[in-house]
């Protein structure tokens, strides 16, 4: 038994957490005796382990590459979801890498069998093989959580919506969602939205790409977005190097557009040189936008667990997997930068402190140390 004493929940209550055989047995304000005790400093919060729904956790394919543990537990993230770095031809490599990682790894399989070996992976339709996709899901049912289709002009070439229709057809057979990357047209965002079904995910939702973002002055797009959200399509942040705009996010907040998850689209370059740096920095941007600590933390715990259909994660309920993230909220002001080079000021910062993963309590190094050494 593991007895975590004195951690603060996001509602401010100090609690003790009892863990048995890797699962949460109790979260209580009462004293608990026995077991191996971890004493948490008074100013440290605890939440379910953070889940980053959009990362590039496959070190082999440059430039969108990173090691799962660097962007994972070392920066407070207990689960990383690789968003389509690998297709059927290379998913075995990611599977093998994941076995050696402390961080929990999932993957959205790129519908192109070659994945991000090239950056226009959907320009040649012969790289999309439903047979290979089904084979991969059969082989790696615990790793694969859905399909990824990068639907922007530079990726799809002349193929229009065809890759997305092919992805959707496979998704129906597999009963899995499709994560769609949106970017520069073609295809037009309104046409992409019409294809998506309940449970699918639109990542890079707050980009400000010219002519194709959610705030185009286009009533047809507006209508398509509202209908997609109503059908149960999820919006995911997927910050990335060029896909997060404070301006778009601010407008979305004013318009009450419900976005589900905060993810980073992190890889080595935007981790070391910004504007992403790490998950905590991405969360801080949402504090700067005026979201509460609770709203922010739910979008990196409970909500991604729901999107991934992994109810054993993202929760402190009895019986949940005991992945935990410990963090501080420091009242030190900082300027944060978005993908457009705009800055916002925030007076407090979330900073990862430690994680509990696989029964091991590991104190995190901060992002700046990582920047120097990894
Ligand atoms: Zn990405």
């Amino acid at each position: 038994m593991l007895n975590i004493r004195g951690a603060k929940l996001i509602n401010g209550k100090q609690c003790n957490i009892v863990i048995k055989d890797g699962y949460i047995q109790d979260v209580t304000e009462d004293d608990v005796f026995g077991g191996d005790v971890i004493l948490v400093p008074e100013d440290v919060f605890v939440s379910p382990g953070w889940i980053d729904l959009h990362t590039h956790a496959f070190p082999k394919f440059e430039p969108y590459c990173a090691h799962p543990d660097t962007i994972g537990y070392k920066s407070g993230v207990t689960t990383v979801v690789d968003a389509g770095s690998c297709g059927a031809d290379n998913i075995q490599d990611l599977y093998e890498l994941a076995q050696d990682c402390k961080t929990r790894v999932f993957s959205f399989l790129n519908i192109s069998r070659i994945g991000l070996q090239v950056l226009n992976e959907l320009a040649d339709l012969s790289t999309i093989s439903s047979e290979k996709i089904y084979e991969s899901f059969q082989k790696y049912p615990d790793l694969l959580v859905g399909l990824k289709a990068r639907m922007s002009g530079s990726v799809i070439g002349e193929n229009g919506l065809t890759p997305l229709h092919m992805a959707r057809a496979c998704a129906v057979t597999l009963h899995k969602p499709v994560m769609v990357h949106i970017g520069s047209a073609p295809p037009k965002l309104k046409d992409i939205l019409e294809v998506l079904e309940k449970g699918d995910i639109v990542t890079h939702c707050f980009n400000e790409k010219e002519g194709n973002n959610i705030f185009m002055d286009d009533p047809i797009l507006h209508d398509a977005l509202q209908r997609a959200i109503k059908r149960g399509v999820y919006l995911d942040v997927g910050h990335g190097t060029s896909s997060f705009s404070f301006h778009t996010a601010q407008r979305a907040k004013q318009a009450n557009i419900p976005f589900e998850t905060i993810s980073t689209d992190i890889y080595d370059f935007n981790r070391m040189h910004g504007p992403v740096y790490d998950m905590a920095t991405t969360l801080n941007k949402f504090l700067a936008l005026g979201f509460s600590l609770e709203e922010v933390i739910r979008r990196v715990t409970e909500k991604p667990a729901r999107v991934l259909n992994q109810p054993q994660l993202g929760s402190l309920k009895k019986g949940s997997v005991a992945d935990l993230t410990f963090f501080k909220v420091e009242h030190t002001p900082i300027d944060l930068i978005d993908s457009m080079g705009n800055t916002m000021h925030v007076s407090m910062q979330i900073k990862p402190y430690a994680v509990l993963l696989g029964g091991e309590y590991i104190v995190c190094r901060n992002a700046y140390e990582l920047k120097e050494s990894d």
Side-chain angles (χ1 to χ4, degrees):
M1 185 176 102
L2 196 57
N3 181 354
I4 297 170
R5 298 188 64 124
K8 198 158 49 163
L9 304 179
I10 44 176
N11 63 15
K13 283 189 181 154
Q14 216 86 24
C15 70
N16 301 311
I17 303 175
V18 181
I19 290 159
K20 215 173 171 188
D21 302 326
Y23 294 90
I24 293 173
Q25 202 181 45
D26 201 8
V27 178
T28 173
E29 289 175 66
D30 298 338
D31 265 335
V32 181
F33 300 98
D36 295 329
V37 174
I38 294 171
L39 200 57
V40 181
E42 220 173 80
D43 58 340
V44 169
F45 286 86
V46 64
S47 73
W50 294 352
I51 302 167
D52 192 342
L53 195 70
H54 184 161
T55 71
H56 291 280
F58 187 59
K60 210 161 148 185
F61 292 160
E62 289 184 347
Y64 304 136
C65 56
H67 191 281
D69 282 338
T70 306
I71 57 176
Y73 83 90
K74 290 181 183 176
S75 41
V77 174
T78 55
T79 297
V80 296
V81 187
D82 182 81
S85 304
C86 296
D89 287 356
N90 16 69
I91 194 65
Q92 185 176 343
D93 291 351
L94 180 61
Y95 175 78
E96 284 167 10
L97 172 67
Q99 305 314 300
D100 293 332
C101 292
K102 288 187 181 187
T103 310
R104 198 176 295 282
V105 179
F106 293 121
S107 161
F108 286 99
L109 185 75
N110 197 310
I111 57 163
S112 164
R113 56 189 290 174
I114 56 176
L116 297 187
Q117 250 174 66
V118 295
L119 296 182
N120 61 345
E121 75 273 12
L122 298 178
D124 175 1
L125 291 180
S126 74
T127 69
I128 307 175
S129 156
S130 51
E131 227 169 84
K132 289 280 168 197
I133 290 172
Y134 299 147
E135 242 173 57
S136 301
F137 275 81
Q138 226 160 28
K139 239 171 145 180
Y140 306 109
D142 296 332
L143 173 69
L144 295 177
V145 289
L147 294 166
K148 176 82 188 283
R150 297 200 309 141
M151 296 302 291
S152 56
S154 59
V155 180
I156 59 165
E158 303 292 309
N159 290 325
L161 288 173
T162 307
L164 185 55
H165 285 299
M166 293 168 87
R168 262 267 107 246
C170 291
V172 170
T173 308
L174 292 164
H175 302 290
K176 297 283 182 192
V178 181
M179 177 187 265
V180 181
H181 145 132
I182 57 167
S184 301
K188 289 201 169 130
L189 181 51
K190 62 183 178 191
D191 298 330
I192 292 174
L193 290 167
E194 297 294 4
V195 181
L196 301 182
E197 298 289 346
K198 181 179 165 65
D200 287 345
I201 304 135
V202 174
T203 190
H204 305 316
C205 66
F206 294 151
N207 79 64
E208 200 183 326
K209 301 235 163 106
E210 209 180 320
N212 214 32
N213 67 67
I214 58 170
F215 284 110
M216 292 279 301
D217 195 13
D218 176 355
I220 300 173
L221 167 65
H222 189 72
D223 185 53
L225 179 64
Q226 292 302 333
R227 279 186 289 111
I229 290 168
K230 221 170 170 186
R231 281 201 300 285
V233 172
Y234 297 121
L235 301 185
D236 169 60
V237 169
H239 186 313
T241 304
S242 59
S243 300
F244 177 71
S245 147
F246 281 133
H247 182 230
T248 306
Q250 248 158 350
R251 287 188 69 182
K253 187 168 189 279
Q254 278 156 11
N256 261 329
I257 292 180
F259 69 105
E260 204 66 14
T261 45
I262 300 176
S263 68
T264 59
D265 188 16
I266 195 167
Y267 44 86
D268 280 338
F269 191 84
N270 65 26
R271 174 178 72 79
M272 291 188 278
H273 305 287
V276 175
Y277 297 112
D278 60 3
M279 175 54 89
T281 306
T282 308
L283 299 178
N284 290 334
K285 291 175 190 180
F286 285 84
L287 294 180
L289 284 159
F291 291 94
S292 69
L293 181 64
E294 191 169 354
E295 285 172 313
V296 167
I297 295 298
R298 283 182 67 209
R299 285 181 167 88
V300 73
T301 54
E302 177 193 321
K303 287 180 174 240
R306 191 190 313 149
V307 171
L308 291 167
N309 197 19
Q310 302 285 334
Q312 76 284 12
L313 300 177
S315 166
L316 296 179
K317 277 193 211 127
K318 186 177 175 175
S320 300
V321 168
D323 287 359
L324 302 176
T325 297
F326 300 84
F327 59 96
K328 292 189 178 190
V329 180
E330 291 180 356
H331 290 267
T332 15
I334 188 175
D335 284 328
L336 299 159
I337 190 162
D338 71 1
S339 300
M340 318 303 290
N342 296 315
T343 53
M344 271 191 90
H345 184 78
V346 67
S347 57
M348 60 183 195
Q349 300 178 43
I350 296 170
K351 284 198 172 168
Y353 178 80
V355 293
L356 187 83
L357 195 51
E360 197 182 348
Y361 181 75
I362 316 165
V363 173
C364 302
R365 289 180 292 161
N366 75 38
Y368 300 97
E369 285 172 54
L370 277 175
K371 187 175 156 185
E372 300 303 322
S373 61
D374 279 76

